[in-house]
Amino acid sequence: MTTTTPSIERRRIGDQLAALTVRNLRTSARVPQLLMFSLTMPMAMLVLFSQVFRSVAAGPGFPAGTSYIVFLTPAMLAVSTVMAGTNAGVSAAIDHTNGLHDRFAALPMRAALPGVARTINEAVFTLARAALLGIAAVALGFEFYGTAMDAVAAVVVLVTLAAAMSALFGLIGDRLRRPDVVQFAGMMVMMPLMFISSAFAPLETMPGWMQAMATVNPVAHATDALRGHVLGTATAGDTVAALVAAIGLWVAVTAVPVLIRLIRSPRVR
């Protein structure tokens, strides 16, 4: 009988996670069309929204002295992260349709590792999208009023939101298992997350029921925190609220598969 020391076990898990992460990155790179649209669509949306809805800045309830491009850019960072999260769901569904998920289940590795690898993959592309979006925003007149600490805190909030979205849409992909169905289901989940928030207009201008729903929407909290860090007005409470909301969603989503397995497993008498 052989035993595995904790250090060897940790090294093996690290090697497996690294292999899965590299595999996901290579898979994304092998579809240049998907990669291009995933990285450039947020830039196109930023240009269109900033021009079409810039009159919102003249309406009641809009922060005084803030241009719409400064108001919109942090929101687009959060919104593009939600939109890209559907890629994790589609990837999970593809793994089921091509039999790769079954092969993973037969291997001696932790069941959670493929999901963790997808999350790391999304985090990498989230940072790449943020960089490209920042370049486009600066060209449109965006200015950053925060400090270096604000910039670091904004990155932490954004990556945490990406992890939550990856877990949420990954669960949808694991449950539905058809890429085409996952895309439509992802849209139904994505729309309220995006629009029941202050992403495109101040919450004060929305109906009361939407304002109430925004209090439990992690995208709304992330948008507020990112905008506060851009303007240099964010408090520790804003950042903590965004992190707690995203982590809470991640914990809830990752707990669901465990509960399903427990329910489906035969009871020991």
Side-chain angles (χ1 to χ4, degrees), residues 23-266:
R23 173 249 172 191
N24 283 341
L25 291 172
R26 285 179 175 173
T27 300
S28 299
R30 287 170 182 166
V31 188
Q33 298 89 346
L34 177 61
L35 189 62
M36 180 187 69
F37 287 121
S38 175
L39 293 176
T40 59
M41 186 170 64
M43 298 170 59
M45 290 183 62
L46 178 70
V47 173
L48 292 174
F49 276 68
S50 65
Q51 302 305 307
V52 173
F53 296 111
R54 60 181 177 179
S55 59
V56 173
F62 195 84
T66 303
S67 66
Y68 191 64
I69 188 64
V70 173
F71 181 87
L72 179 65
T73 299
M76 287 307 305
L77 289 172
V79 166
S80 63
T81 300
V82 179
M83 294 175 62
T86 58
N87 294 337
V90 173
S91 296
I94 291 174
D95 286 345
H96 282 281
T97 57
N98 63 17
L100 194 59
H101 186 272
D102 293 333
R103 292 176 61 187
F104 285 157
L107 294 175
M109 70 177 184
R110 303 288 179 90
L113 287 183
V116 175
R118 284 197 301 266
T119 298
I120 295 174
N121 183 73
E122 286 305 309
V124 171
F125 283 104
T126 295
L127 295 176
R129 277 190 301 272
L132 293 175
L133 198 62
I135 294 172
V138 169
L140 292 170
F142 171 79
E143 295 182 65
F144 184 80
Y145 297 97
T147 64
M149 286 301 298
D150 282 311
V152 172
V155 170
V156 172
V157 168
L158 194 62
V159 171
T160 306
L161 179 65
M165 292 300 107
S166 176
L168 173 61
F169 290 105
L171 176 63
I172 293 173
D174 284 333
R175 299 276 74 83
L176 299 181
R177 302 189 177 189
R178 284 190 54 179
D180 53 346
V181 178
V182 170
Q183 286 182 327
F184 283 107
M187 286 289 292
M188 294 184 66
V189 174
M190 180 176 65
M191 296 297 281
L193 288 173
M194 288 168 50
F195 289 103
I196 302 180
S197 70
S198 61
F200 305 111
L203 277 174
E204 292 76 12
T205 63
M206 300 179 186
W209 65 270
M210 293 187 74
Q211 296 183 36
M213 292 184 66
T215 60
V216 294
N217 182 0
V219 180
H221 288 288
T223 299
D224 292 340
L226 290 170
R227 186 171 289 134
H229 287 300
V230 164
L231 295 173
T233 60
T235 65
D238 295 331
T239 305
V240 170
L243 294 176
V244 168
I247 293 172
L249 175 62
W250 181 84
V251 170
V253 168
T254 53
V256 169
V258 177
L259 293 175
I260 292 176
R261 284 196 295 270
L262 290 176
I263 293 173
R264 288 180 176 178
S265 62

